[in-house]
Amino acid sequence: MRILAVETSCDDTAVAVLDGWRPLASAVGAQEMHSGHGGVVPELASREHVRVLPRLVREVLSDAGMASPGEVDVMAATAGPGLVGALLVGLSWTKSAAYASGARFLAVNHLAAHLHAHYEGEDSVSFPAVALLASGGHTCILRMDSWSDVLLLGATRDDAAGEAFDKTAKLMGLGYPGGPLIDRLAEEGDPHAVKLPAPLPDPAEPDTSFSGLKTAVRLAWESGAPAADLAASFRKVVVDVLSAKLLHQAELTGARSVLVAGGVAANGLLRRRLGEICSERDLELHLPGPGMSTDNAIMVGRAAAALLTREPGACSPADSNAFARWTGERLEVLVAR
Ligand code: KG4
Ligand code: ZN
């Protein structure tokens, strides 16, 4: 089963071709023009997707040894959550290409796709599992009883974890995206140097909140805290909170595995901390490899592959639309509208 997957939910244009869950070729076109703005400018992102997507599709098909989109059986695109204008570019392109070539079309949920970065067949994770999905737009803790039975346990009440990294970096004049920049700077600082309040620190509370931390970071920065120490102290608070909540839910649900997904899964301290916790407790830990934590199209293709393994007839209607936010309790791969 040959799958062409397209992801344009934010500022990365991503395309992949897979044979089932196995990637044959993949490319991500990162948009550089937002860095001077300290965040993504939605209209610029949409316009850049329009410009870059056709070339990226040609390149990825050619890398996968295919002459035309007609050799693909399934075309999947992210429908949301994300920036609606940006999503509409990839969704409409994919829908039209599927219609023209007779391929099956699937509209995929971006959050479910992030979890499926880890999908390498039904048995690639031992269930039950708990998952942390932390990106620029989301911070969710989920329980997974199988790839298709995914329940939301907690979410952010305000800023997402990645957003907190981005805003801290912006405040400190480091650039965008802030996560990797803070992560790098934090390696040189003392994580105990700046006292910052842990937000919603109770491990039993699965929701998170990062906006108060943002204010504390601003006050520390304005009173002259050294950049590396502030970066290290901020990163430690975020990692302390996320890992304690995840571990608590793992114990509560009798989880056998822990999955981490989304851009923040690239964080060095988070990876080390979860590595220690999971090895102490004999929990199977799934961390995304290079390029698999931030937005990519392999995860979209894998979500499509997983869905079609369970439901070979699955298909999305031609009027499937883009959406900005996901609300609900059960996270499904296929978007219902
Ligand atoms: O999953 P993703 O590519 O896009 C969304 O769906 O939002 O995540 C991007 C987010 C950004 O906020 C970025 O700053 C953060 O992931 N990020 C990191 C790191 N690398 C990327 N946050 C902390 N540490 C990192 N190393
Ligand atoms: Zn994402």
Side-chain angles (χ1 to χ4, degrees), residues 125-131 142-146 153 250 253-259 284 286:
V125 166
S126 304
F127 295 109
V130 289
L142 306 120
R143 176 190 167 119
M144 300 175 72
D145 284 300
S146 70
L153 300 174
T253 57
R256 296 170 65 201
S257 317
V258 170
L259 254 80
E284 192 180 291
H286 297 265

Side-chain angles (χ1 to χ4, degrees), residues 15-300:
V15 178
V17 172
L18 301 90
D19 184 9
W21 64 263
R22 289 184 173 77
L24 299 177
S26 159
V28 179
Q31 302 181 354
E32 306 297 340
M33 83 274 269
H34 305 289
S35 61
H37 298 277
V40 178
V41 183
E43 185 177 335
L44 294 183
S46 308
R47 289 178 176 277
E48 190 68 358
H49 289 312
V50 171
R51 200 178 71 76
V52 168
L53 185 57
R55 173 176 55 79
L56 228 50
V57 170
R58 267 197 312 277
E59 284 175 11
V60 170
L61 283 172
S62 152
D63 288 351
M66 292 181 195
S68 82
E71 295 179 40
V72 167
D73 308 301
V74 176
M75 296 200 188
T78 306
L83 299 173
V84 169
L87 287 160
L88 283 171
V89 177
L91 190 66
S92 303
W93 187 95
T94 308
K95 220 187 265 185
S96 314
Y99 180 72
S101 68
R104 185 197 301 258
F105 165 66
L106 296 177
V108 169
N109 182 304
H110 182 74
L111 304 181
H114 266 300
L115 297 181
H116 282 80
H118 296 284
Y119 182 83
E120 297 185 352
E122 293 293 305
D123 300 329
S124 46
V125 166
S126 304
F127 295 109
V130 289
L132 169 67
L133 202 170
S135 68
H138 298 88
T139 313
C140 305
I141 295 179
L142 306 120
R143 176 190 167 119
M144 300 175 72
D145 284 300
S146 70
W147 287 105
S148 56
D149 194 356
V150 181
L151 183 70
L152 181 71
L153 300 174
T156 181
R157 295 187 186 169
D158 40 57
D159 292 354
E163 190 180 355
F165 273 94
D166 293 336
K167 286 180 174 170
T168 297
K170 186 176 180 181
L171 172 80
M172 295 167 66
L174 296 176
Y176 177 87
L181 300 167
I182 296 276
D183 200 15
R184 216 169 304 139
L185 185 60
E187 294 296 331
E188 297 157 25
D190 173 3
H192 303 283
V194 184
K195 276 260 151 303
L196 296 170
L200 285 187
D202 181 3
E205 168 55 69
D207 282 355
T208 52
S209 159
F210 292 108
S211 73
L213 179 60
K214 180 178 65 188
T215 309
V217 166
R218 183 171 52 75
L219 294 176
W221 178 247
E222 286 168 1
S223 56
D229 288 346
L230 185 56
S233 305
F234 163 78
R235 180 177 72 161
K236 180 178 181 305
V237 171
V238 175
V239 169
D240 284 350
V241 166
L242 291 177
S243 48
K245 288 176 190 267
L246 193 57
L247 177 65
H248 184 87
Q249 293 303 324
E251 285 174 347
L252 212 62
T253 57
R256 296 170 65 201
S257 317
V258 170
L259 254 80
V260 193
V264 181
N267 189 269
L269 180 64
L270 181 67
R271 295 174 78 93
R272 294 196 291 275
R273 178 75 59 78
L274 291 176
E276 288 157 17
I277 289 175
C278 290
S279 83
E280 276 164 17
R281 289 168 178 77
D282 219 10
L283 286 162
E284 192 180 291
L285 175 62
H286 297 265
L287 292 171
M292 290 300 286
S293 57
T294 44
D295 290 346
N296 65 85
I298 293 174
M299 66 186 197
V300 177

